[in-house]
Amino acid sequence: MKSKKLTIVIKLGTSSICDEHTHEPRVSIMSLIVETVVKLRRDGHRIIIVSSAAIAMGLKRMNIPRRPKHLATVQAIAATGQGRLIALWDHLFSQLDQPIAQILLTRNDISDRGQYLNAANTLSELLNLGIVPIVNENDTLSVMEIKFGDNDTLSAITAGMASADYLFLLTDVDGLYTENPRLNPNATPIEIVTDISQLKVDVSTAGSSVGTGGMVTKLIAAELATSAGVTTIITKSSVPGNIHSILNYVEWQKKTDNLHDDELRLSVLAIDDESEPDLRRSVRSVRSRSPSTSSSRNQSLPQSPERLRTPSPPPRHTRFPPQSHPIRDRHFWILHGLKAHGTVYIDHGAYRAVTRADKAGLLPAGVVDVQGNFNASETVSIKVVNRADYENLHNKESFTSEQEDELFEQAEEIGKAIVNYSSVEINRIKGLKSFEIEPLLGYADSEYIAHRDNLAFFPRH
């Protein structure tokens, strides 16, 4: 059976590439990463690197001991360091005749749908040409309003944009633990995380003094990437060759599980419903077992050549399987490519309507309140609030804005929307029927606050 050709994003933090104190590049690790990437390319896989360390490289180049606080100075240092960083990558990759390309992004670069698609098309064409794109946030231009925040988030957005199969978050630990393994040698490693919201781990590990990440940002990135259908893996950056072993093991496990399911389906089809009810129930029972029991269940099945080629246990890592119903490309862009300019609070009736299978658009009748100032065609956050609580609060004579803020703080954010009306207009038509919009405003551009194609929702656990 031919191995599947995969699209893989490899994210490298500043501490993986540069020494935290001297800011000198870790050339030995970078060289190992280059060798790993080239081997993966020879296997037919498409590789994207998301590489931090422009600021650290700039600090070394300018002989500045620590990251300054003044934004303009940081941006100047990043401009100096980015050239050094990409030159070093190019030098190392050129030793193995592997061409690379530099892509620098800010959130503004993908906030427009056309620009987002152009960025995705550029990535795709580079990969088709056999080039390894090296992506970084454009620290030279980015300010707080247009930053991704950290390269963990950027790598997840890149993985979603490229429709990647895997995202490897390489860091200075070999995965997640129940506690900080540096402080507690008895901390237990976690191999698979199927529900990040239920995860109970120590995430106190902060990023380096020149980086912006940490374990919390990696969990956020994992949730973002898995929602787009990307298998996400946290593992140690100092041994990048582990990517091969982990990749082979996970892909083998998928094939084995799929093969097992196919055999079970054939078995069920071959069993007569009336004459063999007990056997049918037995087969269904086996089929319902969790993937973790795959090694034991395989012993009871006929051994195929595929199963006999069992890979060795992989190096330690933490894996986040992709969600079974990933977010569609446009909705992924709305959720993670666009910045919210305000908030629209809706009631539970509207929430049920916009999230049901045949998803309706958001009507003004379901809107409870609006916060922030925004124009039509801008993006807003959608939050759910209890209408009765809101109305009871506003009916009180002693009503205060602090009480309203407290109620809004408890509201659950369910997604984002590109709205058809401004904040001022929505505030006037909230709670009304659609046919009442035109008499009140003098026009009605749409019966919806937001059309269903412009509504995107976070996965529900």
Side-chain angles (χ1 to χ4, degrees), residues 5 20 41 81 97 103 109 159 169 295 315 327 363 386 424 442:
K5 306 310 179 186
E20 184 176 353
R41 284 275 307 113
D97 296 324
I103 296 181
D109 294 323
L169 299 171
S295 58
I327 301 171
L363 296 167
N386 189 301
V424 174

Side-chain angles (χ1 to χ4, degrees), residues 162-347:
S163 300
D165 299 284
Y166 286 87
L167 168 61
F168 281 84
L169 299 171
L170 301 190
T171 183
D172 53 0
V173 293
D174 53 13
L176 286 178
Y177 286 77
T178 52
E179 297 181 65
N180 191 331
R182 295 171 180 168
L183 303 177
N184 183 358
N186 297 319
T188 305
I190 299 172
E191 182 180 347
I192 299 178
V193 178
T194 56
D195 187 351
I196 297 175
S197 65
Q198 300 299 317
L199 192 61
K200 292 187 171 80
V201 294
D202 187 331
V203 292
S204 58
T205 307
S208 68
S209 59
V210 287
T212 56
M215 199 53 72
V216 171
T217 63
K218 287 168 181 57
L219 292 181
I220 294 171
E223 186 164 28
L224 196 161
T226 54
S227 73
V230 182
T231 299
T232 304
I233 292 168
I234 297 175
T235 193
K236 205 169 183 65
S237 60
S238 58
V239 195
N242 286 349
I243 292 175
H244 285 285
S245 302
I246 295 169
L247 201 61
N248 290 338
Y249 182 81
V250 175
E251 283 298 298
W252 168 83
Q253 198 172 55
K254 287 180 181 178
K255 289 177 184 176
T256 303
D257 289 342
N258 290 338
L259 187 62
H260 176 265
D261 288 342
D262 288 342
E263 288 175 346
L264 284 173
R265 278 192 289 272
L266 290 173
S267 299
V268 171
L269 289 172
I271 297 169
D272 182 79
D273 282 343
E274 296 180 0
S275 62
E276 298 285 352
D278 292 336
L279 182 55
R280 175 176 285 275
R281 279 194 294 270
S282 174
V283 171
R284 284 175 175 161
S285 174
V286 173
R287 189 178 181 183
S288 66
R289 293 177 191 168
S290 66
S292 61
T293 63
S294 60
S295 58
S296 62
R297 75 190 181 197
N298 288 338
Q299 296 172 5
S300 64
L301 294 171
Q303 291 297 305
S304 68
E306 187 68 35
R307 281 205 190 85
L308 294 175
R309 294 194 293 271
T310 305
S312 303
R316 185 164 287 165
H317 66 282
T318 297
R319 176 162 33 112
F320 302 81
Q323 295 186 10
S324 55
H325 300 289
I327 301 171
R328 292 192 293 123
D329 173 69
R330 178 176 172 80
H331 290 175
F332 183 85
W333 166 70
I334 292 173
L335 286 174
H336 305 296
L338 300 179
K339 181 180 177 61
H341 294 272
T343 304
V344 172
Y345 294 92
I346 66 174
D347 60 30

Side-chain angles (χ1 to χ4, degrees), residues 144-172:
M144 192 59 65
E145 289 76 17
I146 61 172
K147 283 180 73 68
F148 291 101
D150 56 80
N151 272 358
D152 291 322
T153 299
L154 174 59
S155 69
I157 291 175
T158 301
M161 187 188 302
S163 300
D165 299 284
Y166 286 87
L167 168 61
F168 281 84
L169 299 171
L170 301 190
T171 183
D172 53 0

Side-chain angles (χ1 to χ4, degrees), residues 91-137:
H91 173 73
L92 294 172
F93 272 106
S94 67
Q95 305 307 305
L96 298 177
D97 296 324
Q98 173 60 56
I100 67 167
Q102 175 179 252
I103 296 181
L104 300 177
L105 294 173
T106 66
R107 194 174 287 277
N108 265 7
D109 294 323
I110 61 171
S111 61
D112 176 79
R113 180 63 177 167
Q115 288 178 288
Y116 177 88
L117 292 175
N118 285 340
N121 290 337
T122 298
L123 277 175
S124 178
E125 190 60 26
L126 287 170
L127 295 173
N128 290 339
L129 292 170
I131 297 169
V132 174
I134 297 184
V135 182
N136 195 6
E137 180 154 22

